[in-house]
Amino acid sequence: MNWRAGGCLVVGVVLFVGIGLLGLWRATGQTGCFAELHTADGVYRAAGTPAPNPQLSSGERAVEVGTTLVGLATRRVYAPAGTDPHDPAAPRPAQVAVECGDGTFQAYVLGPGPSPS
């Protein structure tokens, strides 16, 4: 085997694996809260500042209703008590709180359509 070809192969493999690991780290390591969360028919906009516990902007008690993906990271989602996330016919909750990934929780309020440009 040619040493030059073997060296190029090793460098290529190391770069490929390194770039892949960097991409996974960036996709799962996002922390902090987002200003907006987009859905198929509306936008949840941040209400207030991040809090140490999951709180809704109305002051209602928030219960965990499931999770969502942010990149490759899973974040817990909270909604008003009585929300059924498994019923597709149920209306979308007007308020949710989402884990930010840094130990805080952001409250969001549902608004219509895309954000203004």
Side-chain angles (χ1 to χ4, degrees):
M1 177 178 194
N2 184 340
W3 287 104
R4 183 177 288 174
C8 287
L9 180 65
V10 167
V11 168
V13 167
V14 167
L15 285 174
F16 181 79
V17 169
I19 290 171
L21 290 174
L22 177 67
L24 282 173
W25 174 74
R26 291 279 297 148
T28 59
Q30 293 179 349
T31 59
C33 303
F34 297 97
E36 295 181 338
L37 301 174
H38 296 267
T39 66
D41 56 352
V43 177
Y44 282 99
R45 291 186 176 83
T49 58
N53 336 346
Q55 301 173 18
L56 300 175
S57 60
S58 67
E60 288 182 73
R61 186 171 75 93
V63 295
E64 187 172 345
V65 294
T67 59
T68 189
L69 287 175
V70 176
L72 296 176
T74 303
R75 303 282 174 87
R76 293 178 296 182
V77 178
Y78 298 82
T83 301
D84 184 4
H86 304 292
D87 182 3
R92 195 177 302 275
Q95 302 176 58
V96 295
V98 179
E99 179 183 28
C100 295
D102 60 0
T104 62
F105 301 84
Q106 176 67 54
Y108 292 92
V109 177
L110 183 62
S115 65
S117 299

